[in-house]
Amino acid sequence: ELQVQHALNWIEKTNEKIQTNKDYLSALDRAIGDGDHGLNMARGFQEAVGKTTSSSYTSVSDIFKDVAMTLMSKVGGASGPLYGTAFLKMSMAVKGEDSVSHERFTKGVEEAINGIIQRGKAKEGDKTLLDVWTPVLRMLQEQSDFEADSLENTAKSAMESTKDVMAIKGRAAYLKERSIGHLDPGSVSSYYLFASLAEVLK
Ligand code: ADP
Ligand code: MG
Ligand code: MG
């Protein structure tokens, strides 16, 4: 079960990783984009933690909703609306329960992916953050309870596999073949997100 405190810790842990790796994320984006992914994510998650730590919650759904609203309003660039949509869809999917079962969370990730696809029109393999979210969903669907290690491992290898892929969507798509050989910045930040969840669930 993902409880309110888990969800709060998840957002805080994600923010820590993003702040620590802010320059790295921007450097990745400088190679195949416009160099602001670290800045965008750092601003968004700092604001999100500011919001969640100054509020009190009785449900995971409300936490996800505040994170969604914050990311959508504070982050420019593609990543703000995409992560914002993801958290909004997860919020809606887990509504009505104080804490969240593995099954319900899995449904939330599925809805999040549908929202990301609806907004960004990308598909798995296009070298976007979907290349991490989709394998993570498949892994969740194969299991009946949270398994921290396989979550971390799945997200990590999915993130690493974006290196050898040519970008079809996002700014990196302008580079065509030249996008090959570089990690997708959004997949790296998504890896931090799921690695943080894995740590929180341990
Ligand atoms: P911007 O490209 O507007 O500067 P960011 O640099 O913050 O925004 O985010 C870039 C990341 O967003 C990419 O690395 C990719 O993972 C993700 N992304 C970009 N476009 C899309 C899309 N259409 N669908 C899904 N993810 C996308
Ligand atoms: Mg960028
Ligand atoms: Mg930008």
Side-chain angles (χ1 to χ4, degrees):
E1 293 259 302
L2 190 78
Q3 288 159 3
V4 163
Q5 194 56 49
H6 291 129
L8 290 170
N9 294 348
W10 180 21
I11 304 309
E12 279 195 58
K13 178 66 76 184
T14 303
N15 182 48
E16 276 169 34
K17 285 194 199 295
I18 285 170
Q19 300 302 331
T20 304
N21 295 288
K22 178 177 162 182
D23 293 341
Y24 173 59
L25 288 173
S26 283
L28 292 174
D29 195 32
R30 217 170 294 126
I32 56 170
D34 59 356
D36 61 357
H37 190 60
L39 200 69
N40 289 341
M41 295 299 290
R43 184 191 302 128
F45 272 85
Q46 192 61 55
E47 294 272 356
V49 166
K51 175 73 187 169
T52 55
T53 53
S54 63
S55 311
S56 65
Y57 295 98
T58 54
S59 79
V60 171
S61 177
D62 288 344
I63 298 170
F64 289 173
K65 191 165 123 210
D66 278 351
V67 171
M69 294 308 171
T70 308
L71 294 178
M72 283 190 200
S73 62
K74 304 287 178 185
V75 183
S79 56
L82 291 171
Y83 275 101
T85 299
F87 271 94
L88 191 61
K89 296 289 182 178
M90 289 197 288
S91 167
M92 287 154 64
V94 305
K95 208 173 160 70
E97 294 176 42
D98 301 351
S99 54
V100 177
S101 66
H102 175 270
E103 189 184 358
R104 183 55 54 185
F105 183 78
T106 301
K107 192 76 199 149
V109 171
E110 185 179 354
E111 296 292 327
I113 289 170
N114 290 340
I116 292 168
I117 291 172
Q118 212 168 31
R119 261 196 177 258
K121 314 285 180 221
K123 58 184 187 321
E124 188 180 11
D126 287 355
K127 200 182 181 100
T128 73
L129 44 79
L130 281 173
D131 293 1
V132 167
W133 282 74
T134 311
V136 164
L137 172 62
R138 275 196 298 270
M139 184 228 75
L140 289 168
Q141 286 171 337
E142 281 162 12
Q143 296 175 342
S144 54
D145 203 353
F146 291 110
E147 288 183 33
D149 288 338
S150 42
L151 178 57
E152 146 83 32
N153 294 337
T154 301
K156 186 166 193 210
S157 60
M159 174 273 282
E160 285 167 346
S161 73
T162 64
K163 189 165 183 172
D164 301 327
V165 170
M166 182 172 78
I168 306 294
K169 279 279 188 271
R171 286 177 194 281
Y174 296 120
L175 295 179
K176 300 202 170 75
E177 288 81 3
R178 282 180 294 135
S179 66
I180 298 171
H182 302 277
L183 291 171
D184 170 52
S187 293
V188 177
S189 59
S190 294
Y191 162 62
Y192 296 148
L193 181 78
F194 290 114
S196 300
L197 179 60
E199 284 178 36
V200 161
L201 291 168
K202 267 187 187 164

Coordinates of all heavy atoms in Angstrom, one line a residue, residues 1-40:
E1 N 0.8 -1.2 0.0 CA 0.0 0.0 0.0 C 0.9 1.3 0.0 O 1.8 1.4 0.8 CB -0.9 0.0 1.3 CG -1.9 -1.1 1.3 CD -3.3 -0.6 0.9 OE1 -3.8 0.4 1.6 OE2 -3.9 -1.1 0.0
L2 N 0.5 2.2 -0.9 CA 1.2 3.5 -0.9 C 0.3 4.4 0.0 O -0.8 4.7 -0.3 CB 1.2 4.0 -2.3 CG 2.1 5.2 -2.5 CD1 3.6 4.9 -2.5 CD2 1.7 5.9 -3.8
Q3 N 0.9 4.8 1.1 CA 0.2 5.7 2.1 C 0.6 7.1 1.9 O 1.6 7.4 1.2 CB 0.5 5.2 3.5 CG -0.2 3.9 3.8 CD 0.4 3.1 4.9 OE1 1.3 3.6 5.6 NE2 -0.2 1.9 5.2
V4 N -0.2 8.0 2.6 CA 0.1 9.4 2.5 C 1.5 9.8 2.7 O 2.2 10.5 1.9 CB -0.9 10.2 3.4 CG1 -0.4 11.6 3.6 CG2 -2.3 10.2 2.9
Q5 N 2.1 9.2 3.8 CA 3.5 9.5 4.1 C 4.5 9.0 3.0 O 5.4 9.7 2.7 CB 3.9 8.9 5.5 CG 5.2 9.5 6.0 CD 5.2 11.0 6.1 OE1 4.2 11.6 6.7 NE2 6.2 11.7 5.6
H6 N 4.2 7.9 2.4 CA 5.0 7.4 1.3 C 5.0 8.4 0.1 O 6.0 8.7 -0.5 CB 4.4 6.1 0.7 CG 4.6 4.9 1.7 ND1 3.6 4.1 2.0 CD2 5.7 4.4 2.3 CE1 4.0 3.1 2.8 NE2 5.3 3.3 3.0
A7 N 3.8 8.8 -0.2 CA 3.6 9.8 -1.3 C 4.4 11.1 -1.1 O 5.0 11.6 -2.0 CB 2.1 10.0 -1.6
L8 N 4.3 11.6 0.2 CA 5.0 12.8 0.5 C 6.5 12.6 0.4 O 7.2 13.4 -0.2 CB 4.6 13.2 1.9 CG 3.2 13.8 2.1 CD1 2.9 13.9 3.6 CD2 3.0 15.1 1.4
N9 N 7.0 11.4 0.9 CA 8.4 11.1 0.8 C 8.8 10.9 -0.6 O 10.0 11.3 -1.0 CB 8.7 9.8 1.6 CG 8.5 10.0 3.1 OD1 8.3 11.1 3.6 ND2 8.5 8.9 3.8
W10 N 8.0 10.4 -1.4 CA 8.3 10.2 -2.8 C 8.6 11.5 -3.5 O 9.6 11.6 -4.2 CB 7.1 9.5 -3.5 CG 7.3 9.2 -5.0 CD1 8.5 9.1 -5.6 CD2 6.3 8.9 -6.0 NE1 8.3 8.8 -7.0 CE2 7.0 8.7 -7.2 CE3 4.9 8.9 -5.9 CZ2 6.3 8.4 -8.4 CZ3 4.2 8.6 -7.1 CH2 4.9 8.4 -8.3
I11 N 7.7 12.5 -3.3 CA 7.9 13.8 -3.9 C 9.2 14.4 -3.4 O 10.0 15.0 -4.2 CB 6.7 14.7 -3.7 CG1 5.4 14.0 -4.2 CG2 6.9 16.0 -4.4 CD1 5.5 13.4 -5.6
E12 N 9.4 14.3 -2.1 CA 10.7 14.9 -1.5 C 11.9 14.3 -2.1 O 12.9 14.9 -2.4 CB 10.6 14.8 0.0 CG 9.8 15.9 0.6 CD 10.0 16.1 2.1 OE1 11.2 16.3 2.5 OE2 9.0 15.9 2.9
K13 N 11.9 13.0 -2.1 CA 13.1 12.2 -2.6 C 13.3 12.5 -4.1 O 14.5 12.7 -4.5 CB 12.8 10.7 -2.4 CG 13.8 9.8 -2.8 CD 15.1 9.9 -2.1 CE 15.1 9.2 -0.7 NZ 16.4 9.5 0.0
T14 N 12.3 12.6 -4.8 CA 12.4 13.0 -6.3 C 13.1 14.3 -6.4 O 14.0 14.5 -7.2 CB 11.1 12.9 -7.0 OG1 10.5 11.6 -6.8 CG2 11.2 13.2 -8.5
N15 N 12.6 15.3 -5.6 CA 13.1 16.6 -5.6 C 14.6 16.6 -5.3 O 15.4 17.3 -5.9 CB 12.3 17.5 -4.7 CG 12.9 18.9 -4.7 OD1 13.0 19.5 -5.8 ND2 13.1 19.5 -3.6
E16 N 15.0 15.8 -4.3 CA 16.4 15.8 -3.9 C 17.3 15.3 -5.1 O 18.3 15.9 -5.3 CB 16.6 14.8 -2.7 CG 16.3 15.3 -1.3 CD 16.3 14.2 -0.3 OE1 17.0 13.2 -0.4 OE2 15.5 14.4 0.6
K17 N 16.8 14.2 -5.7 CA 17.6 13.7 -6.8 C 17.7 14.7 -8.0 O 18.7 14.9 -8.6 CB 17.0 12.4 -7.3 CG 17.2 11.2 -6.5 CD 16.8 9.9 -7.2 CE 16.6 8.7 -6.3 NZ 17.8 8.3 -5.5
I18 N 16.6 15.4 -8.2 CA 16.6 16.4 -9.3 C 17.5 17.6 -9.0 O 18.2 18.0 -9.8 CB 15.1 16.8 -9.6 CG1 14.4 15.7 -10.4 CG2 15.1 18.1 -10.4 CD1 12.9 15.8 -10.5
Q19 N 17.4 18.0 -7.7 CA 18.3 19.2 -7.4 C 19.7 18.8 -7.5 O 20.6 19.5 -8.0 CB 18.0 19.7 -5.9 CG 16.5 20.2 -5.7 CD 16.1 21.3 -6.6 OE1 16.9 22.1 -7.1 NE2 14.8 21.4 -6.9
T20 N 20.0 17.6 -7.0 CA 21.4 17.1 -7.1 C 21.9 16.9 -8.5 O 23.1 17.2 -8.8 CB 21.5 15.7 -6.4 OG1 21.0 15.8 -5.0 CG2 23.0 15.2 -6.3
N21 N 21.0 16.5 -9.4 CA 21.4 16.3 -10.8 C 20.9 17.3 -11.8 O 20.9 17.0 -13.0 CB 20.9 14.9 -11.2 CG 21.5 13.8 -10.4 OD1 22.7 13.5 -10.5 ND2 20.8 13.2 -9.4
K22 N 20.6 18.5 -11.2 CA 20.1 19.5 -12.1 C 21.0 19.9 -13.3 O 20.5 19.9 -14.4 CB 19.9 20.8 -11.2 CG 19.4 22.0 -11.8 CD 19.2 23.1 -10.8 CE 19.1 24.5 -11.4 NZ 19.0 25.5 -10.4
D23 N 22.3 20.0 -13.0 CA 23.2 20.4 -14.1 C 23.4 19.3 -15.1 O 23.5 19.5 -16.3 CB 24.6 20.8 -13.5 CG 24.5 22.1 -12.7 OD1 23.5 22.8 -12.9 OD2 25.4 22.4 -11.9
Y24 N 23.4 18.0 -14.5 CA 23.5 16.9 -15.4 C 22.3 16.8 -16.4 O 22.4 16.6 -17.6 CB 23.6 15.6 -14.6 CG 23.5 14.3 -15.3 CD1 24.4 14.0 -16.3 CD2 22.5 13.4 -15.1 CE1 24.4 12.8 -17.0 CE2 22.5 12.2 -15.7 CZ 23.4 11.9 -16.7 OH 23.3 10.7 -17.4
L25 N 21.1 17.0 -15.8 CA 19.9 17.0 -16.7 C 19.9 18.1 -17.7 O 19.5 17.8 -18.9 CB 18.6 17.1 -15.8 CG 18.2 15.9 -14.9 CD1 17.0 16.3 -14.0 CD2 17.8 14.7 -15.8
S26 N 20.4 19.2 -17.4 CA 20.5 20.3 -18.3 C 21.6 20.0 -19.4 O 21.4 20.3 -20.6 CB 20.7 21.7 -17.7 OG 19.5 22.1 -17.1
A27 N 22.7 19.4 -18.9 CA 23.7 19.1 -19.9 C 23.2 18.0 -20.9 O 23.5 18.1 -22.1 CB 24.9 18.5 -19.2
L28 N 22.4 17.1 -20.4 CA 21.9 16.1 -21.4 C 21.0 16.8 -22.4 O 21.0 16.5 -23.6 CB 21.0 15.0 -20.6 CG 21.8 14.1 -19.7 CD1 20.8 13.2 -18.9 CD2 22.7 13.2 -20.5
D29 N 20.2 17.8 -21.9 CA 19.3 18.5 -22.8 C 20.0 19.4 -23.7 O 19.6 19.8 -24.8 CB 18.3 19.2 -21.9 CG 17.0 19.7 -22.7 OD1 16.7 19.0 -23.7 OD2 16.5 20.8 -22.4
R30 N 21.2 19.9 -23.3 CA 22.0 20.8 -24.1 C 22.5 20.0 -25.4 O 22.6 20.5 -26.4 CB 23.2 21.3 -23.3 CG 23.6 22.7 -23.7 CD 24.6 23.3 -22.7 NE 24.1 23.4 -21.4 CZ 24.6 22.9 -20.3 NH1 25.7 22.2 -20.3 NH2 24.1 23.1 -19.1
A31 N 22.8 18.7 -25.2 CA 23.3 17.9 -26.3 C 22.2 17.7 -27.4 O 22.6 17.7 -28.5 CB 23.8 16.5 -25.7
I32 N 21.0 17.5 -27.0 CA 20.0 17.2 -28.0 C 18.7 18.0 -27.9 O 17.7 17.8 -28.6 CB 19.6 15.7 -28.0 CG1 19.1 15.2 -26.6 CG2 20.7 14.8 -28.4 CD1 18.5 13.8 -26.6
G33 N 18.7 19.1 -27.1 CA 17.6 19.9 -26.9 C 18.0 21.4 -26.7 O 18.9 21.8 -27.3
D34 N 17.3 22.0 -25.8 CA 17.6 23.5 -25.5 C 18.3 23.7 -24.2 O 18.4 24.9 -23.8 CB 16.4 24.3 -25.7 CG 15.3 23.9 -24.8 OD1 15.5 22.9 -24.0 OD2 14.2 24.6 -24.8
G35 N 18.6 22.7 -23.5 CA 19.5 22.8 -22.3 C 18.8 23.2 -21.0 O 19.5 23.7 -20.1
D36 N 17.5 23.1 -21.0 CA 16.8 23.7 -19.8 C 16.1 22.6 -18.9 O 15.4 22.9 -18.0 CB 15.7 24.7 -20.2 CG 14.7 24.2 -21.1 OD1 14.7 23.0 -21.5 OD2 13.8 24.9 -21.5
H37 N 16.3 21.3 -19.3 CA 15.5 20.3 -18.6 C 15.8 20.3 -17.1 O 14.8 20.1 -16.2 CB 15.7 18.9 -19.2 CG 14.7 17.9 -18.6 ND1 13.3 18.0 -18.8 CD2 14.9 16.7 -17.9 CE1 12.7 17.0 -18.2 NE2 13.7 16.2 -17.7
G38 N 17.0 20.4 -16.7 CA 17.4 20.4 -15.3 C 16.7 21.6 -14.5 O 16.1 21.5 -13.5
L39 N 16.8 22.8 -15.2 CA 16.2 24.0 -14.6 C 14.7 23.8 -14.5 O 14.1 24.1 -13.4 CB 16.5 25.2 -15.5 CG 16.4 26.5 -14.9 CD1 17.5 26.7 -13.9 CD2 16.5 27.6 -16.0
N40 N 14.0 23.3 -15.5 CA 12.6 23.1 -15.5 C 12.2 22.2 -14.4 O 11.2 22.5 -13.6 CB 12.1 22.5 -16.9 CG 12.2 23.5 -18.0 OD1 12.3 24.7 -17.8 ND2 12.2 23.0 -19.2

